[in-house]
Amino acid sequence: MFKKSLLAAAAMALAIGCAGFATAQDAAHPAHEGPSVSIPADQISFFNSGVKTEKGELQAGPAYGDLQHGRHGTFIHMPAGFVSPVHTHTEDYFAVVIMGIGANQLPGGKIIPLPAGSYWFQKGEEAHVTQCLSKEPCVFFIIQPGKFDYVPVQ
């Protein structure tokens, strides 16, 4: 009897929660990022970012949005052995390692190897270093709610 009552209460709570969620979605549809697209990896168009070290230059490959003006999802190609100078970004960003082994840490912080499939979050306006630890280039996918900027820390 207790299990039936508990199950009925859980079902009722779920139904009420879903009904409220559906009503909220119907009242105000979410803004969409644009048209649906599918882009094979070999067709991602990369361009030079202007961020360089002796190991090479970061390249950016847009997936959606416009990294120079607002919200975006962008592939970042980082040469093998690249270590960024200490820098910040105005906006927070989320990153996933697609290829290689990367790292992202506070200056002087512990380097945690992040192989393909790993994730990090970078708080905006926080000084950090990003690097490609592997002998092969790294590719990261970043999502940022505003434009991408790169602010060197003196």
Side-chain angles (χ1 to χ4, degrees):
M1 180 71 168
F2 176 74
K3 286 184 181 181
K4 281 186 178 181
S5 296
L6 185 59
L7 185 57
M12 178 74 80
L14 182 60
I16 291 169
C18 289
F21 180 72
T23 302
Q25 278 192 335
D26 292 340
H29 295 284
H32 299 290
E33 299 292 335
S36 298
V37 297
S38 297
I39 304 171
D42 64 353
Q43 292 180 19
I44 297 168
S45 181
F46 285 90
F47 62 89
N48 291 333
S49 70
V51 178
K52 300 177 186 177
T53 71
E54 72 284 350
K55 295 292 184 175
E57 184 170 0
L58 293 182
Q59 294 183 315
Y64 73 87
D66 181 350
L67 79 151
Q68 296 172 328
H69 297 101
R71 183 172 172 77
H72 65 97
T74 302
F75 291 94
I76 302 295
H77 181 275
M78 182 178 279
F82 186 100
V83 178
S84 75
V86 178
H87 65 282
T88 67
H89 307 282
T90 302
E91 300 277 348
D92 296 348
Y93 75 87
F94 307 86
V96 175
V97 180
I98 304 297
M99 185 175 87
I101 301 171
N104 189 74
Q105 70 278 342
L106 300 176
K110 181 180 178 186
I111 296 171
I112 299 171
L114 300 170
S118 299
Y119 161 86
W120 81 81
F121 166 76
Q122 179 57 56
K123 179 181 172 185
E125 301 181 329
E126 181 177 69
H128 63 283
V129 174
T130 308
Q131 59 195 84
C132 181
L133 302 174
S134 55
K135 293 182 193 243
E136 64 181 18
C138 291
V139 175
F140 310 127
F141 186 74
I142 66 170
I143 296 173
Q144 200 168 27
K147 73 177 187 172
F148 182 86
D149 59 4
Y150 180 93
V151 183
V153 172
Q154 302 301 330

